[in-house]
Amino acid sequence: MSWAQSVTQCIQSGGVLTSVEDLDESNFLIEHADLYASKTSGFWIGIYRNVNGQLLWQDNSALDFVNWGDGQPSGDELAFCVELSAVTGYWSVLPCSSQKGFICKKPKNYYYLFTDVKKDKASGHLNMWILLTLVLIILLGVGFMIYFLFKIKTGSGTGREVRGISRQLQYSRALTAGHNASDATNDKEKNEHSVV
């Protein structure tokens, strides 16, 4: 990102481009910036030159500590934007349109953010799609489980009803057959009595 884009991004996240107030803070930043050396050669920090030509930090802290590289700052650059080298930790002046990572500092809790927004957005979108896919798979799985449990339950209930009805029919036939047999026996006895 350009220096101006980095400033905007930091402000949107509730901070400003970082200031470096002492050697300990510089060493901390260098140590963490080195982790990102494969992604970017440097990071924008919050030094700027005001209209009077003074160097200031964006967070208005005192400019008591500097860590300029050899020959820096050189001359009286109009576009005065400062990069912290990811490899050496030294500062250098670059054109403000250069594409670099950036370091944000949030007031009071000193939260540091090392980022390259384009890569982070792509990674965020990928993570969102993965999460969305997993949720969809889980919902489909739950839906199928509910469907099959419902089918098994309703299928078993229907089977019981059919078996129950079959038993009733068999019992009914048995009763009817029993009545028919006793009727036939009674008829036979009547015929025998009448013949005598």
Side-chain angles (χ1 to χ4, degrees):
M1 297 191 132
S2 71
W3 190 86
Q5 290 169 325
S6 299
V7 168
T8 302
Q9 190 68 35
C10 284
I11 290 170
Q12 288 175 348
S13 69
V16 293
L17 282 177
T18 192
S19 58
V20 184
E21 298 178 22
D22 55 35
L23 184 58
D24 289 335
E25 191 171 15
S26 179
N27 288 337
F28 174 84
L29 292 174
I30 292 166
E31 179 181 324
H32 287 85
D34 188 46
L35 299 173
Y36 295 91
S38 64
K39 294 181 180 181
T40 183
S41 61
F43 298 89
W44 293 123
I45 58 176
I47 293 179
Y48 71 99
R49 187 186 302 268
N50 69 8
V51 293
N52 298 329
Q54 290 178 295
L55 295 179
L56 302 170
W57 287 112
Q58 276 190 312
D59 64 2
N60 296 320
S61 58
L63 188 63
D64 294 335
F65 174 82
V66 294
N67 195 20
W68 295 110
D70 290 336
Q72 295 289 328
S74 58
D76 209 18
E77 293 91 354
L78 293 175
F80 195 91
C81 297
V82 179
E83 166 206 39
L84 176 134
S85 170
V87 177
T88 66
Y90 290 118
W91 306 349
S92 57
V93 175
L94 292 177
C96 296
S97 61
S98 299
Q99 299 296 303
K100 298 290 176 183
F102 57 96
I103 305 170
C104 296
K105 183 188 245 183
K106 290 188 176 182
K108 295 183 185 174
N109 60 359
Y110 290 96
Y111 174 80
Y112 297 93
L113 173 68
F114 297 83
T115 185
D116 181 352
V117 173
K118 290 179 185 175
K119 290 178 185 173
D120 285 350
K121 281 185 180 177
S123 175
H125 288 298
L126 178 63
N127 290 340
M128 181 187 68
W129 282 111
I130 290 172
L131 181 64
L132 190 60
T133 303
L134 287 174
V135 168
L136 185 60
I137 290 170
I138 290 169
L139 288 175
L140 284 172
V142 169
F144 278 122
M145 283 178 38
I146 291 171
Y147 173 76
F148 286 119
L149 288 173
F150 179 75
K151 287 296 273 185
I152 290 170
K153 184 176 180 178
T154 58
S156 297
T158 304
R160 286 185 197 141
E161 290 171 8
V162 168
R163 284 191 294 263
I165 291 171
S166 294
R167 285 187 192 138
Q168 287 176 350
L169 287 175
Q170 288 173 352
Y171 181 69
S172 171
R173 284 183 193 147
L175 288 176
T176 306
H179 287 304
N180 289 343
S182 64
D183 287 346
T185 306
N186 286 338
D187 287 343
K188 190 176 184 183
E189 285 176 5
K190 283 180 188 177
N191 287 342
E192 287 177 6
H193 289 288
S194 48
V195 172
V196 178

